Amino acid sequence: MTTAAQEWKPTEPVELIATNAPGGGSDRILRLFVKILAKNIPTPASVVNKPGGGGAVSYSYLNQHPGNGHFLVLSSRSMLTNNIAGHGPSYTTLTPVVHLFKEYISVNVKPVSPIRDGKTLIDFMKRDPTAISFGIATSLGAPNHQGVAVALKFAGIDIRKMKNVIFPSGGAASTALLGGHIDVVPISVAFGASLLRNKQVRMIALTSPTRLPGVLANIPTWKEQGYDVDVSTYRFFVGPRGMTPAQIAYWEKTVQHTTQAEEWKKELAENFWQPKIMGNAETMAFLAKDNKEQRDFLSEIGLVK
């Protein structure tokens, strides 16, 4: 353990903050993670939901505790895309601490839907770009939206004509799909796989460059169906502005130790998450590079404010 890490440790309950409502992506991940983390820290840890504004509510709450290492948000690429689109803070106003993993997007319809696959969806949209409704969590331009928008754009469809309905979580969007209120929902592969196992959805495309294993082995990628799509999101912990080097070092070490647990490795495999642990400095460099790439893409589709 570094000297810096020895200088600080939690002395109060730790809050792991989910950017969406119960059932959403960050909520589901945190409830798995906190069970393992709790064994590695000296104070209690709990999941706190702060949905709204595509994560902006969570980040605002986080920055009400400047320099306090007892608060962490599980963030995603959506933080960058939301800021570029004109809502929510820049990652530079917070303290990115540890990058955890990346994950792909699945595109889902009801089992009885006439949309049989990705090509069928494209054909419907070519005939009438407003004919199909999409349930998007949690904002336009975010990875879930890109999971379908990139394929439509590749097919020459004006994605500004998409009929999008924004939901506070993937869980809420999926509930609307199962209730027949929405036609198509792009959500994380992990969440999509859980619905697929229960035969609640038909999965028509994956945004991964190659097929994924297990229950997803028979699901074609967008690329297989003729559309050049490779879209992923990623998860990283971010703390409030003004965290000290000692606090950052503590969480770098503790999160890395937590991810070595066999329970967590099992969750990674079952949820098709691809681990990539990076500390503060490496995460900051990674986010700077991706921020530029996301700005270029969102400019192309008219979402930069």
Side-chain angles (χ1 to χ4, degrees):
M1 185 181 292
T2 66
T3 302
Q6 289 177 325
E7 292 172 356
W8 186 89
K9 65 181 178 180
T11 56
E12 303 169 10
V14 170
E15 290 189 15
L16 300 183
I17 302 158
T19 58
N20 47 32
S26 66
D27 173 79
R28 294 174 65 252
I29 295 164
L30 282 179
R31 292 188 189 280
L32 297 171
F33 192 82
V34 74
K35 294 177 184 177
I36 310 169
L37 176 70
K39 302 173 185 176
N40 298 324
I41 62 175
T43 59
S46 61
V47 177
V48 177
N49 297 87
K50 295 289 182 181
V57 172
S58 290
Y59 303 126
S60 175
Y61 175 74
L62 190 64
N63 264 344
Q64 290 171 23
H65 307 276
N68 191 330
H70 297 89
F71 298 84
L72 296 173
V73 168
L74 183 62
S75 191
S76 72
R77 185 180 236 166
S78 298
M79 183 185 193
L80 275 61
T81 56
N82 288 345
N83 175 255
I84 292 166
H87 46 96
S90 166
Y91 70 94
T92 59
T93 65
L94 298 156
T95 307
V97 179
V98 181
H99 181 285
L100 282 175
F101 61 82
K102 81 172 185 177
E103 61 180 336
Y104 294 103
I105 310 300
S106 63
V107 184
N108 305 273
V109 298
K110 288 185 70 174
V112 296
S113 172
I115 302 171
R116 306 298 303 179
D117 52 27
K119 187 177 185 306
T120 309
L121 172 60
I122 298 291
D123 289 343
F124 271 115
M125 291 292 288
K126 282 183 174 179
R127 288 196 292 272
D128 181 0
T130 65
I132 304 296
S133 58
F134 297 86
I136 306 297
T138 55
S139 56
L140 293 182
N144 285 335
H145 178 225
Q146 290 186 32
V148 288
V150 175
L152 298 180
K153 182 176 180 293
F154 185 84
I157 295 165
D158 185 353
I159 61 176
R160 289 170 294 187
K161 294 181 179 179
M162 286 174 67
K163 185 178 178 182
N164 297 305
V165 181
I166 307 303
F167 290 89
S169 71
S174 299
T175 297
L177 173 72
L178 301 181
H181 307 295
I182 293 293
D183 298 313
V184 180
V185 169
I187 50 176
S188 71
V189 160
F191 191 16
S194 69
L195 297 176
L196 185 66
R197 289 186 186 102
N198 293 327
K199 298 180 169 37
Q200 292 173 284
V201 298
R202 175 190 300 137
M203 195 176 289
I204 62 171
L206 297 173
T207 64
S208 51
T210 58
R211 287 203 184 194
L212 297 176
V215 69
L216 302 180
N218 294 323
I219 309 301
T221 65
W222 275 121
K223 285 193 174 184
E224 282 182 76
Q225 299 178 74
Y227 309 98
D228 189 13
V229 175
D230 182 349
V231 173
S232 62
T233 187
Y234 44 80
R235 302 287 180 173
F236 64 101
F237 281 114
V238 60
R241 68 181 185 274
M243 284 180 69
T244 67
Q247 291 168 335
I248 293 169
Y250 175 86
W251 284 118
E252 285 176 330
K253 178 177 177 59
T254 301
V255 170
Q256 183 167 3
H257 180 67
T258 301
T259 61
Q260 295 307 305
E262 290 305 316
E263 302 152 85
W264 181 248
K265 291 178 180 178
K266 181 181 177 185
E267 294 294 347
L268 286 170
E270 290 183 354
N271 289 284
F272 310 97
W273 297 332
Q274 304 194 2
K276 176 65 174 177
I277 298 295
M278 294 187 285
N280 166 260
E282 195 176 357
T283 299
M284 286 293 289
F286 170 80
L287 293 175
K289 180 176 182 292
D290 192 46
N291 195 63
K292 181 183 184 306
E293 293 173 357
Q294 292 303 304
R295 180 172 291 278
D296 290 345
F297 173 75
L298 295 182
S299 293
E300 289 182 32
I301 61 175
L303 285 177
V304 175
K305 299 298 183 185

